[in-house]
Amino acid sequence: MDRFDLVIRNGLWFDGTGAQPKVCDLGIRDGEVAAVEPTLPTTVRATQTLNAAGKWVLPGFIDVHTHYDVEMLARPALTESLRHGVTTAVIGNCSLTTILAGNDECADIFSRVEAVPRDAVVGVLGQHRTWSSPTEYAKVVDALPLGLNIAAFLGHSDLRIHVMGMDRAVDATQRPTTGELARMRALLTEALDAGFLGLSSTTNLIDKVDGDRYRSRALPSTFVRRREFRALNEVLRQRGRILQSTPRISLNPNLLQFFLASSGRFGRRQLKVSLLSAADSKAYPPVVYLMLYGAPALNRLLNGAFQWQHLPVPFTVYADGIDLVVFEEFGSGSAALDIKDHLERNRLLDTPEYRRWFRRDYRNKLAPKIWHRDLYDAVIVECPDISLVAKSFGQIADERGIHPVDAFLDLVIGYDTDIRWRTTVANHRPRYLDKLAANKHVHMGFGDAGAHLRNMAFYNYHLRLLRRVVAAERAGKPFLTLPHAIHRLTGELGDWYQLDAGHLRRGDRADIVIIDPEGLDHSVDALTEEPIAEYGGLRRMVNRNDNAVTATIVNGRIAYHEGRFATDLGTTWGPGRYLPAHRKIRTTLSTRLAPLDDSVWVVGDTTQRPCDRP
């Protein structure tokens, strides 16, 4: 029993519960934490040893809102999350999965909403798809050479297309028959039996279908009405599983519907609801009070199990020309994005009628919105005319004596996607960002990893939150303690989502991140780009602050260490597993894992230290 696959010595150990950390040694055996001791004897045998002196040893981060559904098949290492300490990612959010509908239909619902090239989605599914049911899909995911663990929702749009057909699924006049509704319930039950977390949906009308046949229709789940909503929620409620969704952003909002669905009163069980998104919106600043105080009050009143998802960093987005999802929220913007051919689109943008339409939408103060629609708060970061870089469209309009909308459209016509700009749409006020991060009705999430590849990069939001926590403590203005912040990013999520993840105690699965606190510096805010061959060379925005995470360990195997990924990760092997809800998963020594070989990694100094509180 004195033999370990991996020993981590001298690290400041956080167990994911929010308890105070201790300096300890950890022994890992067969993918599980087998020992947590003040000091493991020098006589213990370990195939690999890591020295974590001066570093934090904590459970791997859980990213509850990703869209890795397609990338996972083509690039299963998922290195952009792995390098930042994420050991579990949840896919299948926002009604979008690639499980039941045909390849073209899956691409239609996925590509435009998540800004991933449609041809690439069709190609990846055509090459890798071997499943036809949720059960088979779970087995395929588990067999992939994953860099990290994957948990999944079943997407309602995917389910609806499979049962009703695409024609009827995106037709507002159509409802599922009694037989079709029974079929949906049966497929959802099968998915829950296979360990899916629940059902994901969206009621947000700005999310549009791609392709040619049904282009610009809203996603299928936006057409769901009460009977279907209640029938599927009842399956989730009976099984204690989760509804993940997005509310309708319109003059007829449906937010109360989700609170009522979550309610445990009226003689029924609670329904866990995870909703996008708690944010301090620039467009509607007072809405933050609903997030902070309205949800807790309604949860208490209705005995609900409602949680917001929240990105705990400023929500800054980038755009190439007019290619940005926020333009879908008003008529003139959506009309431009409806046109795939850029020359044809530019001809539309140049017409006087279109410009009048766009200006009306731009000035409309009453229309529901995500984007604040302030072109003075939209700064150019790249342009063939370097004299325009670092200027806002509003500033350029003033210099030219024209309306900001005309300046924007002129530059889009002139430079198309070669003009790149950014704006922050939410989470711009540190005071409210801190309040949201500390609110117990808010979950840390919504990084959208794997989606919006040219628009944003929040792969390391976990590290950025920890940096803020440390800085606030040093400034004498704490909003979270460090153990509590780590709990919010790990154990809290693992418990609520009912996953075997998020804790680092004896008997827990050995998903671990080792962090050098000295690496939590300004580099965590930096952005770079990475070409993706599988997506036609598209240059994805990524984070590359490799000084913060020293090592990421998944199921007891070192997948990332000091800026390097393990050999053949994502090709011939991978330590990640499919994580089912309500079940423990353990990985024993087998051919699916890389051989334990001291020569793979540099073994650090193992000088021992006492297990004292810091």
Side-chain angles (χ1 to χ4, degrees):
M1 297 299 292
D2 60 348
R3 172 76 187 187
F4 297 103
D5 301 326
L6 171 66
V7 167
I8 302 171
R9 291 196 182 272
N10 310 319
L12 185 61
W13 162 65
F14 298 79
D15 67 3
T17 68
Q20 288 299 311
K22 300 177 182 179
V23 177
C24 285
D25 293 350
L26 275 67
I28 312 301
R29 184 187 304 117
D30 289 342
E32 185 175 290
V33 180
V36 180
E37 301 291 346
T39 303
L40 286 171
T42 56
T43 56
V44 300
R45 293 175 295 165
T47 305
Q48 294 173 296
T49 300
L50 292 178
N51 179 32
K55 300 179 177 64
W56 303 339
V57 179
L58 51 140
F61 299 127
I62 302 172
D63 192 339
V64 299
H65 193 108
T66 80
H67 291 282
Y68 274 139
D69 307 61
V70 176
E71 183 175 343
M72 170 189 71
L73 303 172
R75 298 159 57 93
L78 301 177
T79 53
E80 295 310 324
S81 288
L82 191 66
R83 75 191 312 134
H84 299 295
V86 175
T87 56
T88 299
V90 177
I91 63 171
N93 287 280
C94 300
S95 87
L96 307 173
T97 47
T98 59
I99 301 170
L100 295 169
N103 292 351
D104 285 335
E105 287 81 4
C106 286
D108 285 348
I109 62 174
F110 190 88
S111 300
R112 182 165 172 178
V113 175
E114 303 306 334
V116 176
R118 184 181 183 279
D119 290 346
V121 175
V122 173
V124 169
L125 290 177
Q127 180 179 356
H128 295 278
R129 187 169 190 165
T130 59
W131 60 87
S132 59
S133 71
T135 303
E136 293 174 358
Y137 181 79
K139 292 177 180 178
V140 168
V141 172
D142 195 46
L144 290 170
L146 295 166
L148 46 79
N149 303 305
I150 292 291
F153 284 102
L154 177 64
H156 198 166
S157 287
D158 185 16
L159 174 64
R160 212 167 195 261
I161 294 167
H162 175 70
V163 173
M164 297 177 64
M166 189 68 150
D167 280 324
R168 294 176 57 235
V170 294
D171 187 336
T173 68
Q174 297 295 310
R175 303 286 185 272
T177 66
T178 300
E180 288 170 337
L181 203 52
R183 179 63 177 149
M184 288 186 195
R185 287 170 58 96
L187 285 166
L188 177 56
T189 299
E190 179 189 341
L192 301 184
D193 288 342
F196 281 62
L197 303 180
L199 183 73
S200 75
S201 185
T202 184
T203 62
N204 187 3
L205 296 171
I206 75 169
D207 293 332
K208 303 292 180 61
V209 172
D210 203 353
D212 295 321
R213 292 183 63 197
Y214 306 100
R215 186 173 179 82
S216 299
R217 303 242 190 130
L219 287 180
S221 70
T222 64
F223 297 101
V224 171
R225 297 299 177 260
R226 180 173 298 181
R227 178 169 173 259
E228 183 179 345
F229 184 74
R230 293 180 65 179
L232 296 176
N233 284 349
E234 186 57 32
V235 176
L236 299 173
R237 187 177 285 109
Q238 291 171 358
R239 298 288 293 273
R241 300 298 175 84
I242 302 166
L243 171 67
Q244 185 276 322
S245 193
T246 307
R248 187 164 57 235
I249 301 172
S250 74
L251 296 175
N252 180 30
N254 62 345
L255 186 57
L256 183 59
Q257 179 183 15
F258 290 101
F259 282 102
L260 291 172
S262 178
S263 173
R265 299 201 188 279
F266 318 115
R268 66 183 187 184
R269 295 180 61 180
Q270 290 178 328
L271 171 66
K272 287 186 170 182
V273 173
S274 178
L275 204 67
L276 295 184
S277 134
D280 179 22
S281 167
K282 275 190 178 180
Y284 296 113
V287 170
V288 73
Y289 296 105
L290 171 65
M291 315 292 184
L292 290 170
Y293 309 116
L298 285 170
N299 260 348
R300 286 193 297 270
L301 177 65
L302 298 171
N303 187 28
F306 178 98
Q307 292 287 139
W308 294 106
Q309 291 184 6
H310 168 60
L311 178 69
V313 300
F315 205 124
T316 300
V317 294
Y318 290 70
D320 298 317
I322 202 171
D323 289 335
L324 186 64
V325 69
V326 296
F327 288 104
E328 301 275 20
E329 68 186 6
F330 55 94
S332 57
S334 183
L337 296 179
D338 286 346
I339 303 172
K340 290 191 288 186
D341 181 82
H342 282 215
L343 290 177
E344 182 182 349
R345 178 191 293 178
N346 287 344
R347 284 194 291 270
L348 172 68
L349 302 187
D350 204 26
T351 63
E353 296 80 10
Y354 179 83
R355 293 191 173 218
R356 285 194 294 270
W357 184 14
F358 200 114
R359 283 195 292 269
R360 283 197 304 272
D361 287 336
Y362 179 78
R363 291 192 298 262
N364 190 341
K365 302 300 182 184
L366 299 178
K369 63 186 81 169
I370 298 171
W371 178 38
H372 46 72
R373 300 185 201 172
D374 180 2
L375 288 169
Y376 287 89
D377 187 7
V379 177
I380 297 169
V381 295
E382 294 178 21
C383 184
D385 182 351
I386 59 173
S387 69
L388 302 180
V389 173
K391 293 182 179 180
S392 73
F393 291 106
Q395 180 182 352
I396 294 167
D398 291 344
E399 292 174 354
R400 297 181 179 183
I402 58 178
H403 193 279
V405 165
D406 290 311
F408 173 70
L409 295 177
D410 286 346
L411 291 170
V412 170
I413 292 169
Y415 297 113
D416 198 28
T417 57
D418 288 336
I419 187 165
R420 186 161 171 78
W421 55 280
R422 70 167 178 241
T423 189
T424 299
V425 297
N427 299 341
H428 54 296
R429 298 183 292 182
R431 175 188 174 191
Y432 292 102
L433 193 58
D434 292 348
K435 286 180 177 292
L436 286 168
N439 191 293
K440 69 178 183 179
H441 296 275
V442 170
H443 279 159
M444 302 300 103
F446 192 37
D448 258 1
H452 304 288
L453 305 177
R454 293 287 299 159
N455 304 131
M456 57 196 192
F458 301 121
Y459 296 90
N460 70 344
Y461 71 80
H462 319 79
L463 301 177
R464 294 173 69 182
L465 174 61
L466 294 182
R467 182 193 179 207
R468 285 176 41 229
V469 167
V470 171
E473 286 186 342
R474 288 174 177 169
K477 298 179 179 179
F479 62 94
L480 281 175
T481 66
L482 182 59
H484 189 194
I486 290 170
H487 169 65
R488 303 223 67 197
L489 294 166
T490 58
E492 178 179 280
L493 299 173
D495 292 344
W496 199 85
Y497 281 80
Q498 300 163 328
L499 289 170
D500 181 22
H503 294 289
L504 193 58
R505 305 157 301 192
R506 185 192 298 270
D508 288 326
R509 209 159 40 76
D511 291 342
I512 305 169
V513 56
I514 301 176
I515 292 176
D516 183 350
E518 296 301 317
L520 294 175
D521 55 24
H522 66 278
S523 67
V524 301
D525 299 319
L527 298 173
T528 187
E529 295 183 353
E530 176 222 19
I532 305 179
E534 294 86 350
Y535 289 175
L538 180 146
R539 297 187 64 83
R540 181 224 318 247
M541 293 174 60
V542 294
N543 312 108
R544 290 289 172 85
N545 52 295
D546 290 343
N547 292 328
V549 172
T550 298
T552 305
I553 298 159
V554 180
N555 286 304
R557 292 299 189 276
I558 304 172
Y560 173 79
H561 184 232
E562 295 184 348
R564 294 185 298 147
F565 295 97
T567 305
D568 297 327
L569 179 69
T571 54
T572 60
W573 80 279
R577 299 291 305 273
Y578 167 73
L579 292 191
H582 286 288
R583 300 179 208 165
K584 284 192 172 183
I585 294 294
R586 293 294 181 267
T587 300
T588 57
L589 294 176
S590 70
T591 55
R592 68 172 279 124
L593 295 175
L596 291 167
D597 182 354
D598 283 332
S599 66
V600 176
W601 305 107
V602 177
V603 179
D605 173 59
T606 58
T607 304
Q608 297 174 11
R609 304 170 68 189
C611 181
D612 295 329
R613 293 187 184 276

